[in-house]
Coordinates of all heavy atoms in Angstrom, one line a residue:
A48 N 128.5 101.0 113.2 CA 129.2 101.9 114.0 C 128.4 103.0 114.6 O 128.9 103.9 115.3 CB 130.4 102.6 113.3
D49 N 127.0 103.0 114.3 CA 126.1 104.1 114.8 C 126.7 105.4 114.3 O 126.8 106.4 115.1 CB 125.9 104.0 116.3 CG 124.7 104.8 116.7 OD1 123.8 105.0 115.9 OD2 124.7 105.2 117.9
G50 N 127.0 105.5 113.1 CA 127.7 106.7 112.5 C 126.7 107.9 112.3 O 125.5 107.8 112.4
P51 N 127.3 109.0 111.9 CA 126.5 110.2 111.7 C 125.4 110.1 110.6 O 124.4 110.9 110.7 CB 127.5 111.3 111.4 CG 128.7 110.6 110.9 CD 128.7 109.3 111.6
L52 N 125.6 109.3 109.6 CA 124.6 109.2 108.6 C 123.3 108.6 109.1 O 122.3 108.9 108.5 CB 125.2 108.2 107.5 CG 126.2 108.8 106.5 CD1 126.6 107.8 105.4 CD2 125.7 110.1 105.8
L53 N 123.3 107.9 110.2 CA 122.1 107.4 110.8 C 121.2 108.6 111.2 O 120.0 108.4 111.3 CB 122.4 106.5 111.9 CG 123.1 105.2 111.6 CD1 123.1 104.2 112.7 CD2 122.5 104.5 110.3
G54 N 121.8 109.7 111.6 CA 121.0 110.8 112.0 C 120.2 111.4 110.8 O 119.0 111.7 110.9
V55 N 120.9 111.4 109.6 CA 120.2 111.8 108.4 C 119.1 110.8 108.1 O 118.0 111.2 107.7 CB 121.2 111.9 107.3 CG1 120.5 112.3 105.9 CG2 122.3 112.9 107.6
D56 N 119.4 109.5 108.2 CA 118.4 108.5 108.0 C 117.2 108.6 108.8 O 116.1 108.5 108.4 CB 119.1 107.1 108.3 CG 118.5 106.0 107.5 OD1 117.8 106.2 106.5 OD2 118.7 104.8 107.9
E57 N 117.4 108.9 110.1 CA 116.3 109.1 111.0 C 115.4 110.3 110.7 O 114.2 110.3 110.7 CB 116.8 109.2 112.5 CG 117.4 107.9 113.0 CD 118.1 108.1 114.3 OE1 118.1 109.2 114.8 OE2 118.7 107.1 114.8
R58 N 116.1 111.4 110.3 CA 115.3 112.6 109.9 C 114.5 112.3 108.6 O 113.3 112.7 108.5 CB 116.2 113.8 109.7 CG 116.8 114.3 111.0 CD 117.5 115.7 110.8 NE 118.7 115.6 110.0 CZ 119.9 115.3 110.5 NH1 120.1 115.1 111.8 NH2 121.0 115.2 109.7
L59 N 115.1 111.6 107.7 CA 114.3 111.2 106.5 C 113.1 110.4 106.8 O 112.1 110.5 106.2 CB 115.3 110.5 105.5 CG 116.2 111.3 104.6 CD1 117.1 110.4 103.8 CD2 115.4 112.2 103.6
S60 N 113.4 109.4 107.7 CA 112.3 108.5 108.1 C 111.1 109.3 108.7 O 110.0 109.0 108.4 CB 112.8 107.4 109.0 OG 111.8 106.5 109.4
R61 N 111.5 110.2 109.6 CA 110.4 111.0 110.2 C 109.6 111.8 109.2 O 108.4 112.0 109.3 CB 111.0 112.0 111.3 CG 111.4 111.3 112.6 CD 111.6 112.3 113.7 NE 112.7 113.2 113.4 CZ 114.0 113.0 113.7 NH1 114.3 111.9 114.4 NH2 114.9 113.9 113.4
A62 N 110.3 112.3 108.2 CA 109.6 113.1 107.1 C 108.8 112.2 106.2 O 107.7 112.7 105.7 CB 110.7 113.9 106.3
L63 N 109.2 111.0 106.0 CA 108.6 110.1 105.0 C 107.6 109.1 105.5 O 106.7 108.7 104.8 CB 109.6 109.4 104.2 CG 110.6 110.3 103.3 CD1 111.7 109.4 102.7 CD2 109.8 111.1 102.3
A64 N 107.8 108.7 106.8 CA 107.0 107.6 107.4 C 105.7 108.2 107.9 O 105.6 108.8 109.0 CB 107.8 106.9 108.4
H65 N 104.6 107.9 107.1 CA 103.3 108.3 107.6 C 102.3 107.1 107.2 O 101.8 107.1 106.0 CB 102.8 109.6 106.9 CG 103.7 110.8 107.2 ND1 103.6 111.4 108.4 CD2 104.6 111.4 106.5 CE1 104.5 112.4 108.4 NE2 105.1 112.4 107.3
P66 N 102.2 106.1 108.0 CA 101.4 104.9 107.7 C 100.1 105.3 107.1 O 99.3 106.1 107.6 CB 101.3 104.2 109.0 CG 102.6 104.6 109.8 CD 102.8 106.1 109.4
D67 N 99.8 104.6 106.0 CA 98.5 104.8 105.3 C 98.2 103.5 104.6 O 99.0 102.9 103.9 CB 98.8 105.9 104.2 CG 97.5 106.3 103.5 OD1 96.6 105.4 103.4 OD2 97.4 107.4 102.9
P68 N 96.9 103.0 104.8 CA 96.5 101.7 104.2 C 96.7 101.7 102.7 O 96.9 100.6 102.2 CB 95.1 101.6 104.6 CG 94.9 102.4 105.9 CD 95.9 103.6 105.7
A69 N 96.7 102.8 102.1 CA 96.8 102.9 100.6 C 98.2 102.4 100.2 O 98.3 102.0 99.0 CB 96.5 104.3 100.1
F70 N 99.2 102.5 101.0 CA 100.5 102.2 100.6 C 100.9 100.7 101.0 O 101.9 100.3 100.6 CB 101.5 103.1 101.3 CG 101.6 104.5 100.7 CD1 100.6 105.5 101.0 CD2 102.5 104.8 99.7 CE1 100.7 106.7 100.4 CE2 102.5 106.0 99.1 CZ 101.6 107.0 99.5
E71 N 100.0 100.1 101.8 CA 100.3 98.7 102.2 C 100.5 97.7 101.0 O 101.4 96.9 101.0 CB 99.2 98.2 103.1 CG 99.5 96.9 103.8 CD 100.6 97.0 104.8 OE1 100.9 98.1 105.3 OE2 101.3 95.9 105.0
P72 N 99.6 97.8 100.0 CA 99.8 96.9 98.8 C 101.1 97.1 98.1 O 101.6 96.2 97.5 CB 98.6 97.3 97.9 CG 97.6 97.9 98.8 CD 98.3 98.6 99.8
L73 N 101.7 98.3 98.2 CA 103.0 98.5 97.5 C 104.1 97.7 98.3 O 104.9 97.1 97.6 CB 103.3 100.0 97.5 CG 102.4 101.0 96.8 CD1 102.9 102.4 96.8 CD2 102.2 100.5 95.4
A74 N 104.0 97.8 99.6 CA 105.0 97.0 100.4 C 104.8 95.5 100.1 O 105.8 94.8 100.1 CB 104.9 97.4 101.8
D75 N 103.6 95.1 99.9 CA 103.3 93.7 99.8 C 103.9 93.1 98.4 O 104.0 91.9 98.3 CB 101.8 93.4 99.8 CG 101.2 93.6 101.2 OD1 102.0 93.6 102.2 OD2 100.0 93.7 101.4
L76 N 104.1 94.0 97.5 CA 104.7 93.6 96.2 C 106.1 92.9 96.4 O 106.6 92.2 95.5 CB 104.8 94.7 95.2 CG 103.5 95.2 94.7 CD1 103.7 96.5 93.9 CD2 102.8 94.2 93.8
G77 N 106.7 93.2 97.6 CA 108.0 92.6 97.9 C 107.9 91.3 98.7 O 109.0 90.7 99.0
N78 N 106.7 90.8 98.9 CA 106.6 89.5 99.6 C 107.0 88.4 98.7 O 106.8 88.4 97.5 CB 105.1 89.3 99.9 CG 104.6 90.2 101.1 OD1 105.4 90.8 101.8 ND2 103.3 90.3 101.2

Side-chain angles (χ1 to χ4, degrees):
D49 197 20
L52 283 182
L53 296 192
V55 177
D56 205 23
E57 291 169 2
R58 288 193 292 273
L59 278 174
S60 181
R61 285 196 296 269
L63 297 174
H65 300 285
D67 184 335
F70 285 84
E71 189 68 26
L73 300 183
D75 290 343
L76 290 171
N78 289 343

